[in-house]
Amino acid sequence: MRLIRPALFCAALLSGTTLVAPSFAAPAPAAPANAAPAAAPAAPADANPLIASVNGQKIYLDDVKKAAAGLPPQARQLPPNTLVNILLNQIVSQKAIQIDALKEGLDKKPDVKAQMQEAADNALQNAYLQEKVGPLVTEDAIKQAYQANYASKKGEQEIHARHILVADEATAKDVIKQLNHGAKFEDLAKKLSTDKGSGASGGDLGWFKKDDMLPEFSKAAFAMKPNTISQTPVKTQYGWHVIQVLASREAPVPPLEQVHDEIRQQLIRDNVRDIVKAAQDKVKIVRYDAQGKPLPDAPAAAPAAPKK
């Protein structure tokens, strides 16, 4: 549970309050020169000391650490003592407000009770998914997914192309005619293309895959051979295109480091989906129509026809 919000943290910073770091252990006095040999060192201090209480509700250093974990990185760069004081003051304030709210019975109000139950339900659901999904999304699982979906497959085809975009078919045909008579593609793109972004660089679109462009554009471009110009204008929602394909290649397989986080997120999504489905399969689900009548169960899918 987050004990402090970044907004509250910022408000504390702007308050101008002078903060004094709490002293968790008093320094030992210096030993006189003729003192007896020091005793054996004391046991290490508690790693999670009690640092405050509010009406007997204890606040430990770990509570402050949890609050700090929810702050933006730049906020966590503050001196530790300063940060502890700011967060501790916020936690104490929250506890005091919660105690007063309970005394006034606000937790019994239907809307507040519903919000508290919703928060508890969400916390339970998240804890369940984290417990089930976490062990499945390991570095080994990520490497296996990389081998299966990247390293063992051929790279996707991509092409390097330029285009000139104009408003109507007649203009596009005239552009093709000029190109066939020796005009330079780059010059016409800079002069005529309504795509000012690529036009400024001679119509260059760089390397791209089929799914990177509109279907009509990709269908025409990927059917062309390198060093050719489309002889028929290609219409899309943006206008009419004249395309020049410069080269074609098989896209290089990205290294694991480049796609690591993407694979991890996909594994999380896949496993969450499977776990949710498994949970639904264990319960009886009834859906109702607008009149409150139970809807019939969806018919089971027809079995596949046997292979001949």
Side-chain angles (χ1 to χ4, degrees):
M1 180 177 115
R2 285 182 69 183
L3 299 175
I4 178 171
R5 295 182 182 178
L8 295 176
F9 168 80
C10 294
L13 280 181
L14 296 173
S15 66
T17 304
T18 301
L19 300 170
V20 179
S23 177
F24 297 126
N34 59 352
D46 185 0
N48 183 29
L50 177 69
I51 55 177
S53 67
V54 182
N55 267 16
Q57 296 186 25
K58 297 178 179 180
I59 302 171
Y60 292 90
L61 183 59
D62 274 357
D63 297 319
V64 175
K65 289 179 180 179
K66 290 176 184 177
L71 296 174
Q74 63 271 23
R76 294 199 294 270
Q77 300 305 312
L78 284 169
N81 287 343
T82 301
L83 192 57
V84 166
N85 272 277
I86 292 172
L87 297 178
L88 179 57
N89 287 340
Q90 294 294 338
I91 297 170
V92 167
S93 298
Q94 289 179 338
K95 294 282 188 187
I97 290 171
Q98 290 165 9
I99 289 169
D100 251 7
L102 290 171
K103 284 181 180 177
E104 295 184 12
L106 290 181
D107 58 317
K108 303 297 191 297
K109 291 183 65 175
D111 57 336
V112 176
K113 194 172 183 178
Q115 291 175 37
M116 292 172 67
Q117 184 60 56
E118 181 181 357
D121 291 344
N122 286 337
L124 182 61
Q125 172 184 294
N126 290 338
Y128 178 83
L129 289 174
Q130 287 175 4
E131 183 167 311
K132 299 296 183 182
V133 173
L136 301 175
V137 185
T138 62
E139 286 302 312
D140 282 344
I142 292 172
K143 289 176 183 176
Q144 289 174 17
Y146 174 76
Q147 289 296 324
N149 299 307
Y150 292 89
S152 64
K153 293 186 176 180
K154 291 178 61 178
E156 190 176 352
Q157 184 190 8
E158 58 183 11
I159 60 175
H160 182 195
R162 297 190 287 214
H163 83 139
I164 299 171
L165 177 64
V166 294
D168 56 77
E169 185 178 15
T171 304
K173 287 182 176 180
D174 183 63
V175 168
I176 293 171
K177 184 178 179 181
Q178 292 184 59
L179 291 170
N180 289 339
H181 283 81
K184 290 187 176 181
F185 198 100
E186 305 96 300
D187 294 342
L188 292 183
K190 291 176 181 178
K191 179 181 178 182
L192 301 174
S193 184
T194 58
D195 178 4
K196 298 304 179 184
S198 67
S201 57
D204 198 345
L205 297 171
W207 290 94
F208 58 88
K209 301 178 179 65
K210 276 188 177 181
D211 291 341
D212 294 338
M213 299 293 180
L214 293 171
E216 308 94 324
F217 187 96
S218 284
K219 182 179 179 181
F222 278 83
M224 296 170 58
K225 294 180 179 180
N227 300 311
T228 60
I229 295 170
S230 58
Q231 296 301 301
T232 302
V234 178
K235 187 178 187 303
T236 70
Q237 65 194 66
Y238 297 108
W240 295 82
H241 306 257
V242 178
I243 304 171
Q244 181 185 37
V245 173
L246 301 173
S248 175
R249 72 181 183 188
E250 184 180 288
V253 176
L256 174 59
E257 295 75 20
Q258 182 178 328
V259 293
H260 179 279
D261 291 346
E262 180 182 334
I263 294 173
R264 183 177 182 276
Q265 290 303 318
Q266 187 60 52
L267 285 177
I268 291 173
R269 287 192 292 269
D270 292 347
N271 282 294
V272 166
R273 183 193 62 234
D274 293 344
I275 289 167
V276 169
K277 184 179 184 306
Q280 290 179 340
D281 289 344
K282 297 175 186 175
V283 297
K284 180 177 176 60
I285 300 172
V286 181
R287 292 180 171 83
Y288 299 86
D289 63 17
Q291 287 71 44
K293 294 181 179 179
L295 293 169
D297 291 339
K307 293 182 179 180
K308 297 182 179 179

